[in-house]
C-alpha cells in the first residue's frame, strides 16, 4: 500500500518537556484515521506539526514520497493539508462565502475586485457536496447550527482541494443531533475519497466513521489498528488500561 | 416593537425641535450672536448682554458658542450667513482666521459687528477698549498709590493680546519712573490649569520678596483673585500692599469693597456695555439706516474703561 | 423582513426625517448653497471619521486622530507660512499624519501596546510637538491661493471639499468592500485568530489600518489649514468626539453593528445637518449638544444588539 502521508521518527520537545517521541505513521489516500489519546498524550503537538503551525524537533514528513517542511499553516494548506480547529475555525459575523474564502478570496479582472457572486456560487456547490442545504450564502455563520458551522469550515478545506483534512475535536461542543450531522459530513468526505484525520475524545464517533485508530500516550504511538470489530468501550479501555 | 419605539422617539424629537425653533420662525428683526468661547466668563458676559439687549427690543436673538474651536467658528459663521440675519455680532472672534467668512458676509450684505476681536475690512467695526489706555490707568494708579517709590511684584500673561499690551504699557510707565523697582515677575503659562500655575509661581515670589514688597500688579482679575487668596493666608491687610489688576466684574467689586480682601483697584472693561452697544449700533445702522460713520469713524468703537477703587466701588456693586 | 430593514436603515431614515424637518422649518435649508455648505463641512469630519472607521474595521481604536490632525495642520501651516512651496507643505502634512499612524501601528503590532493606550500616547506626543512648533500661537496669514484653493476652490462647479470627501469615501468603500486587502482587514477585525490561521497577516493588516487612519488625519489637517488659512495646536480637537460619534452612529445603519464607510459618511453628514439646521432654526447653542447627545444615545441604543457584538466592544469589555 502506498502512503499519501508518512511520518518517520517524529519528535517534539519544548525545552525539557518531550511531547512526542519517535512517532511513525502512514496514512493512505481516502482513509479516515482517528487520532486518540488522553490529555497530554501528544495529539495537539502532532496536529500542530501536520498543520504547519510548528516544526518538529526530530524526524521527517513525507507527502507523496517527497520530503516536506511546512513553513506556516498557509504553506501546509497549499500543499494539501487543511486543519479545522475546534473553535477558531470561523469568523462568526462574516457570511458563509466570506468564511469559505477567508484569506483566499477570488477576484475578477480587469480591476481585481472581489468576485462575490462566484464565491457565493462555489460555496453553495461545496455545501451541496456535503448535502448541507442553506439558502442564503450571505447568512452570517453565527446564525448557523454547530453542524452547519463545521460544514462551512470543511468547505474551506474543499475550496483548497485539500487532500488531507484534519478535524480537531469537531463534535466536542455539539449536541446529539448536530454530532450526527458532523459524522455525516465525515462520511461524505470519505465517500469523495478525501483523507480525514479525526482527533477526538468521543469513542463512539471514532467507531462510527473511522477506518483505523491510532492511540498516543506519553508522546508515543501505542496502538495503530483497524477499527472494524472494536466497540467504543474497547477503545476507551485501550486508552485507560494502559494509562493506568 | 423596535419599530414603534423608534417612530415614537422620532416624533418626540420632532416635537422638541419644533418647540426650540418656534421663536425664530416668526418674522422679526433677527440678530445672531457668536461667543468664541462661552466657557470663558468675559466672552459669555458680552454675548449674553448683547442677547438681552436685543430681546429687550423685541428682536429674535440666537446665541452660538464656537467652543474655542476655529473650525466650528467658521462653520457657524457660514451657516448663519445662509440664514441672512439682519446682523451678526461676534464676541472675541478671530477676524484674520475667519476672513473668508467675513468676506462672504459682506458680499451677502449681512453686517458684522465684532467685540474685542480686532478690526477687519469686512466688518463694520470692532468694539474695543483701548488696551494701551487701560494699561496706563492701572499702572499709573499703582505708582500714584506708591508715591512713585517702592518695590513691586508682577503677574503677567503673554498669551493674549490684551494682557500682553497691559504688561508692555506697565514697562513703559516704569521706565519713566525709576523709583519703583520690579522685584520679581511670574509669567503664566498657557495651560488649562492656569490657576495652579499662578498660585505656585506667585507663592514663590511672595516667599522670596514678600517682606520687601509694597505693590502688586496682575494682568487680569482672575490672577488677582488667586494672589488675593495667597496674601490673605499670609495675614496681609488691605492697603498694606497696593494691589491693582484689570477686567472688572461683580466678584472684583466685591473684593475691592471687602475689608478682608487685599485687592484694591481694577480697570473695568465694560463687557456688558459692549454687548449692549453692539446691539444699539446694529439698530441704528440696520433699522434706522444711519451710516456707519455716524457711530464711529475708523475701524474701532472705543469704550470707556473706568478705574474702580475704594473711592467709587459702591457705584458698581 | 420589515424589522430587518428597519434595523438596517432605521437610523438612516431618522436622519432623512431630520433632513425633512429642517427643510420644512427653514426656507434656507434646502437651497443649493446651504446643502453645499453642509457637504463641505462634512468633508473634514467625514475624512477624519473614515480614518477612525478603517482602524475600527480591524478592531483597533485610534484615539490620536484629532491630535495627529492638529500636528499635521501645524506642520503644513508652519511651512506655508514660512513661504515654502505649498505642494511641499501639503506633502509634509500628509507625511506627518501617515507617520503618526504608522507609529500607532508599530506600537500596537510590534510593541504589543493595546491601541487604546498606544494611540493616547501618540496623541500626547503629537500635541507636545504641535505646541513646540507653535509655542501656542497660531500661524495665521493670507496664504497663497494655490494652497487655500485646495479647500476653498471649485472644480466643475462643485466645491473641492466635496470632491475630496467623495474621493476618499469612495476609495475607502472600494477598499473595504471590494478588494482582497479590504476583506483581510475585515477578517482581522472580525476574527483575529481565525484570520491568522487562514493565512491572513493580521498584524500587517492592523498596521495598515492605523497608518491609513493617520493618513486620513493628515489629509483632514491639510484641508482644515487650507480652508481656514491658519493652523493652531488643538485646532482639530473639536472634531474628535464628533468623528467617534459619526462612526458609532454609522454602525447603527446599513451594516448594523459593524463599522462601515457608508454609515460613517451618512452619520457625519447627519451630524452636520443637525448643527446647520439648528443654527438656521435659531435654536440656542446649548440645544445643539443636548440634541446631539440624545440622538447618539437613542440610535446606538436601538442598534445596541449589533454594536454590542462588535469585536472591539468585547475587547474593551464594554459589554454588559
Amino acid at each position: 500500500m502506498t502512503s499519501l502521508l508518512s511520518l518517520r521518527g517524529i519528535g517534539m520537545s519544548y525545552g525539557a518537556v518531550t511531547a512526542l517521541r519517535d512517532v511513525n505513521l502512514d496514512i493512505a489516500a481516502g482513509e479516515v484515521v482517528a487520532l486518540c489519546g488522553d490529555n497530554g498524550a501528544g495529539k495537539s503537538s502532532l496536529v500542530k506539526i501536520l498543520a504547519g503551525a510548528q516544526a518538529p524537533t526530530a524526524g521527517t514528513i513525507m507527502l507523496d514520497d517527497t520530503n516536506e517542511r511546512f513553513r506556516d499553516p498557509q504553506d501546509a494548506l497549499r500543499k494539501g493539508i487543511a486543519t479545522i480547529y475546534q473553535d477558531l475555525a470561523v469568523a462568526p459575523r462574516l457570511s458563509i462565502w466570506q468564511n469559505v474564502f477567508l484569506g483566499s478570496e477570488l477576484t475578477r479582472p480587469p480591476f481585481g475586485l472581489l468576485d462575490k457572486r462566484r464565491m457565493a456560487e462555489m460555496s453553495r456547490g461545496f455545501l451541496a457536496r456535503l448535502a448541507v442545504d442553506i439558502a442564503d450564502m450571505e447568512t452570517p455563520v453565527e446564525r448557523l447550527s454547530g453542524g452547519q458551522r463545521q460544514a462551512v469550515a470543511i468547505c474551506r478545506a474543499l475550496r483548497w482541494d485539500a487532500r488531507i483534512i484534519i478535524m480537531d475535536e469537531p463534535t466536542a461542543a455539539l449536541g446529539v443531533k448536530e454530532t450526527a450531522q458532523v459524522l455525516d459530513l465525515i462520511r461524505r468526505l470519505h465517500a469523495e475519497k478525501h483523507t480525514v484525520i479525526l482527533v477526538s475524545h468521543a469513542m463512539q464517533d471514532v467507531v462510527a466513521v473511522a477506518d483505523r485508530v491510532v492511540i498516543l500516550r506519553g508522546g508515543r504511538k501505542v496502538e495503530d489498528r483497524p477499527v472494524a470489530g472494536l466497540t467504543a468501550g474497547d477503545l476507551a479501555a485501550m486508552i485507560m488500561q494502559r494509562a493506568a | 416593537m423596535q419599530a414603534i419605539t423608534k417612530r415614537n422617539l422620532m416624533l418626540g424629537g420632532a416635537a422638541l425641535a419644533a418647540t426650540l425653533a418656534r421663536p425664530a420662525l416668526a418674522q422679526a428683526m433677527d440678530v445672531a450672536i457668536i461667543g468664541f468661547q462661552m466657557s470663558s466668563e468675559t466672552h459669555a458676559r458680552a454675548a449674553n448682554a448683547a442677547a438681552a439687549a436685543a430681546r429687550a427690543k423685541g428682536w429674535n436673538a440666537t446665541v452660538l458658542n464656537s467652543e474655542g474651536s476655529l473650525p466650528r467658528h467658521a462653520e457657524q459663521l457660514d451657516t448663519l450667513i445662509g440664514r441672512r440675519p439682519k446682523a451678526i455680532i461676534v464676541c472675541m472672534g478671530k477676524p484674520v482666521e475667519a476672513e473668508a467668512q467675513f468676506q462672504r458676509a459682506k458680499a451677502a450684505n449681512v453686517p458684522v459687528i465684532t467685540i474685542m476681536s480686532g478690526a477687519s475690512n469686512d466688518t463694520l467695526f470692532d468694539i474695543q477698549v483701548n488696551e494701551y489706555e487701560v494699561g496706563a490707568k492701572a499702572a499709573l494708579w499703582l505708582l500714584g498709590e506708591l508715591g512713585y517709590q517702592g518695590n513691586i511684584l508682577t503677574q503677567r500673561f503673554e498669551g493674549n493680546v490684551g494682557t500682553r499690551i497691559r504688561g508692555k504699557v506697565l514697562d513703559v510707565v516704569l521706565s519713566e519712573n525709576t523709583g519703583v523697582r520690579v522685584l520679581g515677575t511670574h509669567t503664566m503659562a498657557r495651560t488649562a490649569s492656569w490657576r495652579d500655575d499662578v498660585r505656585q509661581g506667585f507663592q514663590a515670589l511672595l516667599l522670596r520678596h514678600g517682606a520687601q514688597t509694597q505693590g502688586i500688579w496682575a494682568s487680569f482679575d482672575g490672577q488677582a483673585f488667586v494672589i488675593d487668596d495667597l496674601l490673605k493666608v499670609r495675614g496681609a491687610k488691605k492697603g498694606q500692599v497696593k494691589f491693582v489688576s484689570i477686567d472688572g466684574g461683580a466678584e472684583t467689586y466685591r473684593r475691592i469693597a471687602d475689608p478682608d480682601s487685599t485687592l484694591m483697584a481694577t480697570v473695568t472693561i465694560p463687557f456688558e456695555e459692549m454687548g449692549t452697544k453692539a446691539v444699539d449700533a446694529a439698530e441704528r445702522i440696520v433699522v434706522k439706516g444711519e451710516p456707519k460713520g455716524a457711530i464711529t469713524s475708523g475701524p474701532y468703537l472705543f469704550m470707556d474703561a473706568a478705574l474702580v477703587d475704594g473711592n467709587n466701588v459702591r457705584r458698581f456693586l | 423582513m420589515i424589522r430587518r430593514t428597519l434595523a438596517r436603515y432605521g437610523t438612516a431614515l431618522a436622519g432623512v426625517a431630520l433632513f425633512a424637518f429642517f427643510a420644512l422649518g427653514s426656507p434656507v435649508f434646502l437651497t443649493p448653497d446651504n446643502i453645499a455648505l453642509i457637504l463641505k463641512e462634512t468633508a473634514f469630519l467625514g475624512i477624519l471619521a473614515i480614518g477612525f472607521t478603517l482602524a475600527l474595521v480591524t478592531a483597533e481604536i485610534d484615539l490620536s486622530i484629532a491630535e495627529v490632525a492638529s500636528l499635521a495642520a501645524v506642520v503644513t501651516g508652519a511651512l506655508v507660512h514660512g513661504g515654502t512651496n505649498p505642494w511641499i507643505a501639503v506633502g509634509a502634512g500628509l507625511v506627518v499624519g501617515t507617520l503618526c499612524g504608522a507609529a500607532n501601528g508599530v506600537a500596537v503590532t510590534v510593541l504589543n501596546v493595546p491601541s487604546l493606550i498606544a494611540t493616547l500616547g501618540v496623541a500626547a506626543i503629537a500635541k507636545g510637538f504641535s505646541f513646540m512648533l507653535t509655542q501656542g500661537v497660531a500661524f495665521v496669514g493670507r496664504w497663497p491661493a494655490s494652497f487655500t484653493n485646495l479647500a476653498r476652490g471649485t472644480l466643475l462647479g462643485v466645491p473641492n471639499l466635496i470632491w475630496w470627501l467623495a474621493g476618499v469615501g469612495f476609495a475607502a468603500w472600494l477598499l473595504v468592500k471590494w478588494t482582497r486587502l479590504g476583506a483581510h482587514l475585515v477578517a482581522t477585525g472580525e476574527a483575529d485568530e481565525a484570520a491568522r490561521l487562514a493565512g491572513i497577516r493580521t498584524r500587517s493588516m492592523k498596521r495598515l489600518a492605523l497608518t491609513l487612519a493617520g493618513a486620513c488625519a493628515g489629509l483632514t489637517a491639510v484641508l482644515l489649514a487650507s480652508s481656514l488659512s491658519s493652523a493652531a495646536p488643538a485646532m482639530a480637537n473639536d472634531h474628535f468626539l464628533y468623528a467617534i460619534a459619526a462612526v458609532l452612529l454609522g454602525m447603527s445603519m446599513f451594516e448594523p453593528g459593524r463599522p462601515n464607510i457608508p454609515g460613517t459618511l451618512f452619520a457625519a453628514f447627519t451630524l452636520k445637518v443637525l448643527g446647520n439646521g439648528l443654527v438656521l432654526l435659531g435654536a440656542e447653542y446649548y440645544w445643539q449638544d443636548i440634541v446631539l447627545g440624545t440622538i447618539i444615545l437613542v440610535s446606538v441604543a436601538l442598534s445596541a444588539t449589533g454594536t454590542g457584538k462588535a469585536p472591539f466592544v468585547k475587547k474593551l469589555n464594554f459589554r454588559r
Side-chain angles (χ1 to χ4, degrees):
Chain A
M1 185 171 89
T2 58
S3 296
L4 172 61
L5 177 73
S6 295
L7 305 185
R8 287 286 168 270
I10 293 292
M12 186 75 217
S13 320
Y14 304 93
V17 181
T18 303
L20 289 174
R21 293 169 217 268
D22 194 29
V23 173
N24 298 307
L25 181 62
D26 289 282
I27 295 175
E31 241 188 331
V32 175
V33 177
L35 192 59
C36 300
D38 213 351
N39 289 332
K43 291 176 307 200
S44 312
S45 296
L46 193 55
V47 168
K48 279 181 188 159
I49 288 168
L50 291 174
Q54 56 184 218
T57 44
T60 55
I61 303 171
M62 311 270 283
L63 199 57
D64 276 338
D65 297 325
T66 322
N67 245 323
E68 287 293 359
R69 216 160 247 295
F70 305 133
R71 274 179 288 116
D72 50 45
Q74 201 57 18
D75 191 32
L77 199 53
R78 267 192 298 271
K79 287 166 179 162
I81 301 181
T83 308
I84 300 167
Y85 293 94
Q86 186 183 158
D87 47 356
L88 301 169
V90 292
R93 302 204 311 164
L94 296 185
S95 70
I96 292 172
W97 68 262
Q98 280 172 316
N99 269 287
V100 171
F101 289 87
L102 191 70
S104 63
E105 298 78 5
L106 301 178
T107 57
R108 175 180 57 180
F111 301 114
L113 299 183
L114 294 181
D115 195 344
K116 295 181 184 177
R117 183 185 299 177
R118 197 160 137 241
M119 287 190 276
E121 273 167 14
M122 286 177 69
S123 302
R124 192 185 308 281
F126 295 138
L127 285 172
R129 272 164 65 185
L130 297 172
V132 174
D133 183 29
I134 304 170
D136 187 1
M137 290 301 116
E138 293 289 342
T139 312
V141 167
E142 67 185 351
R143 291 216 211 117
L144 303 180
S145 72
Q148 289 173 325
R149 282 183 214 193
Q150 283 290 334
V152 170
I154 292 171
C155 286
R156 194 185 302 155
L158 296 181
R159 177 259 178 282
W160 280 103
D161 259 331
R163 289 180 292 173
I164 301 174
I165 300 173
I166 303 174
M167 299 178 75
D168 187 14
E169 300 285 1
T171 60
L174 300 184
V176 177
K177 194 175 149 215
E178 294 182 333
T179 299
Q181 285 173 350
V182 171
L183 295 181
D184 259 351
L185 294 175
I186 296 173
R187 288 192 193 98
R188 295 257 164 195
L189 291 173
H190 198 194
E192 284 201 358
K193 307 284 181 218
H194 282 282
T195 307
V196 177
I197 299 176
L198 172 67
V199 181
S200 185
H201 273 105
M203 295 311 144
Q204 65 279 15
D205 295 356
V206 172
V207 172
V209 297
D211 299 317
R212 195 150 62 94
V213 59
V214 172
I215 295 176
L216 293 178
R217 197 176 62 253
R220 289 181 196 279
K221 186 170 88 173
V222 295
E223 200 71 63
D224 186 346
R225 55 180 291 176
V227 172
L230 292 175
T231 64
D234 297 339
L235 281 174
M238 277 183 214
I239 295 170
M240 306 284 283
Q241 172 196 20
R242 305 235 189 144
Chain B
M1 183 58 208
Q2 196 186 33
I4 294 165
T5 321
K6 198 173 292 182
R7 187 175 311 137
N8 284 350
L9 285 166
M10 270 163 57
L11 289 175
L16 172 70
T19 320
L20 305 182
R22 198 169 301 133
L25 295 174
Q27 290 300 312
M29 172 80 179
D30 176 20
V31 57
I33 299 149
I34 302 185
F36 188 71
Q37 172 75 285
M38 290 293 275
S39 61
S40 163
E41 193 188 319
T42 55
H43 298 211
R45 282 169 62 192
N48 291 340
R55 285 174 190 142
K57 292 181 194 296
W59 299 356
N60 283 322
T62 313
V63 182
L64 299 177
N65 176 11
S66 301
E67 292 180 22
S69 155
L70 198 53
R72 179 180 286 218
H73 189 59
E75 179 184 352
Q76 287 173 336
L77 281 167
D78 273 325
T79 308
L80 277 178
I81 293 161
R83 191 176 106 194
R84 300 284 150 89
K86 294 290 193 305
I88 297 176
I89 296 169
V90 180
C91 305
M92 289 74 172
K94 310 260 178 192
V96 184
E97 287 91 331
E99 186 189 23
Q101 282 70 31
F102 285 163
Q103 282 170 353
R104 275 194 63 214
K106 193 179 192 182
N109 278 320
V110 178
V112 178
I113 296 171
T114 57
I115 295 174
M116 298 207 53
S117 304
S120 158
N121 287 333
D122 305 304
T123 60
L124 288 180
F125 47 79
D126 187 41
I127 302 179
Q128 275 280 7
V129 291
N130 186 332
E131 287 285 0
Y132 299 91
E133 188 190 331
V134 166
K137 277 184 178 171
L140 290 173
W141 179 91
L142 181 59
L143 266 64
E145 287 285 323
L146 289 170
Y148 294 85
Q149 289 284 332
N151 300 321
I152 64 170
L153 297 176
T154 63
Q155 171 63 53
R156 300 175 71 135
F157 177 44
E158 306 296 317
N160 169 285
V161 193
T163 55
R164 196 163 56 229
I165 291 173
R166 296 167 189 176
K168 284 182 178 162
V169 171
L170 175 71
D171 293 341
V172 171
V173 170
L174 289 174
S175 69
E176 281 295 320
N177 297 281
T178 49
V180 173
R181 268 184 58 221
V182 177
L183 288 183
T185 292
H186 177 248
T187 301
M188 189 178 100
R190 189 193 198 122
T191 65
S193 53
W194 59 268
R195 287 185 180 83
D196 287 333
D197 187 28
V198 171
R199 182 161 52 242
Q200 283 171 17
F202 216 85
Q203 180 91 280
L205 287 185
L206 285 173
L207 281 174
R208 206 160 146 217
H209 305 292
Q212 302 91 45
T213 298
Q214 288 89 44
I216 293 175
W217 179 96
S219 71
F220 66 92
D221 285 351
Q223 296 175 329
F225 299 160
V226 176
I227 296 167
D228 182 28
D229 295 343
L230 288 175
L231 288 171
K232 278 190 282 193
V233 170
R234 289 172 59 91
K237 295 278 169 290
K238 194 174 215 101
Q240 272 180 344
V241 176
K242 312 299 177 190
F243 185 5
V244 67
S245 134
I246 298 159
D247 265 357
E251 173 63 13
T252 315
Y253 307 143
R254 192 193 65 72
R255 291 194 189 223
I256 292 173
D258 177 3
D260 291 333
S261 161
T262 60
L263 183 60
M264 293 179 69
T266 192
V267 182
T268 293
I269 314 283
F271 295 103
E272 284 82 2
E273 286 83 345
M274 288 178 172
T276 312
K277 194 84 179 179
V279 170
D280 288 341
E283 182 177 36
R284 287 174 65 185
I285 291 169
V286 177
V287 181
K288 299 181 179 157
E290 291 183 37
K292 177 208 150 190
I295 294 164
T296 182
S297 47
Y300 293 103
L301 173 59
F302 283 120
M303 305 284 291
D304 277 340
L307 190 129
V308 179
D309 66 3
N311 296 315
N312 62 351
V313 69
R314 298 279 154 218
R315 287 199 282 122
F316 292 85
L317 283 169
Chain C
M1 193 61 202
I2 291 171
R3 174 181 297 190
R4 198 159 155 206
T5 311
L6 259 176
R8 189 169 290 195
Y9 301 106
T11 35
L13 286 175
V16 172
L18 194 69
F19 201 80
F21 172 72
F22 287 133
L24 290 173
S26 164
V28 180
F29 183 76
L30 270 189
T31 56
D33 276 357
N34 193 54
I35 298 300
L37 179 67
I38 298 173
L39 282 170
K40 274 158 64 179
E41 289 299 334
T42 307
F44 308 114
L45 179 60
I47 294 173
L48 198 63
I50 282 173
F52 192 87
T53 309
L54 290 174
L56 201 58
V57 160
T58 64
E60 298 299 338
I61 293 179
D62 188 348
L63 297 180
S64 71
I65 45 172
E67 294 291 2
V68 166
S70 296
L71 174 62
V74 161
V75 168
T76 307
L79 291 173
V80 175
H81 202 71
T84 311
N85 180 329
W87 294 111
I88 294 174
V90 168
L94 295 178
V95 166
V96 166
T98 309
L99 284 180
C100 289
N104 281 327
V106 168
V108 171
T109 61
V110 180
L111 307 179
N112 291 319
V113 184
S115 59
L116 209 60
I117 297 164
T119 56
L120 268 183
V122 168
I125 293 168
K127 182 175 167 189
F129 274 115
S130 53
F131 274 95
M132 188 175 93
L133 281 170
T134 58
Q135 299 293 315
V137 183
F139 295 108
V140 187
R142 297 203 164 76
W143 292 348
S146 57
F147 178 68
T148 53
N149 272 345
L150 276 179
R152 293 185 187 172
T154 60
L155 179 67
L156 306 174
V158 176
N160 286 351
L161 280 174
I162 300 180
W163 286 113
W164 284 111
L165 178 65
V168 174
F170 180 73
W173 173 79
L174 201 66
L175 169 70
V176 172
K177 295 300 286 184
W178 287 100
T179 67
R180 285 194 67 184
L181 194 59
H184 293 183
L185 291 172
V186 172
T188 300
E190 285 295 330
D192 197 338
E193 192 63 17
R196 199 180 57 75
L197 289 172
I200 294 172
R201 295 191 302 164
T202 53
R203 281 170 184 268
S204 304
M205 291 301 115
K206 286 175 185 285
R207 213 152 43 229
L208 173 71
L210 286 165
T211 306
L212 287 175
C216 285
L219 179 58
T220 308
V222 166
L223 294 177
L224 263 181
S226 157
S227 164
L228 295 169
S229 191
S230 65
M235 78 184 294
N237 287 16
D238 188 42
H239 288 305
F240 177 59
L241 283 178
Y242 282 86
I244 294 178
V247 176
L248 291 179
L249 214 52
M251 284 176 65
S252 71
M253 54 185 102
F254 303 122
E255 294 180 54
R258 288 201 219 164
N260 67 90
I261 302 292
T264 296
L265 286 176
F266 190 80
F269 178 70
T270 305
L271 291 178
K272 286 298 172 185
V273 163
L274 185 71
N276 178 280
L278 287 177
V279 170
L280 290 184
L281 290 184
E284 294 283 343
Y285 60 92
Y286 35 81
W287 278 112
Q288 292 203 30
D289 289 328
I290 295 171
V291 175
L292 171 74
T294 310
I295 287 187
I296 291 175
L297 281 176
V298 168
S299 59
V300 175
L302 288 180
S303 67
T305 39
T307 309
K309 274 197 235 161
F312 79 91
V313 177
K314 286 185 202 157
K315 213 161 148 179
L316 291 173
N317 240 337
F318 277 175
R319 236 180 146 183
R320 280 159 291 177

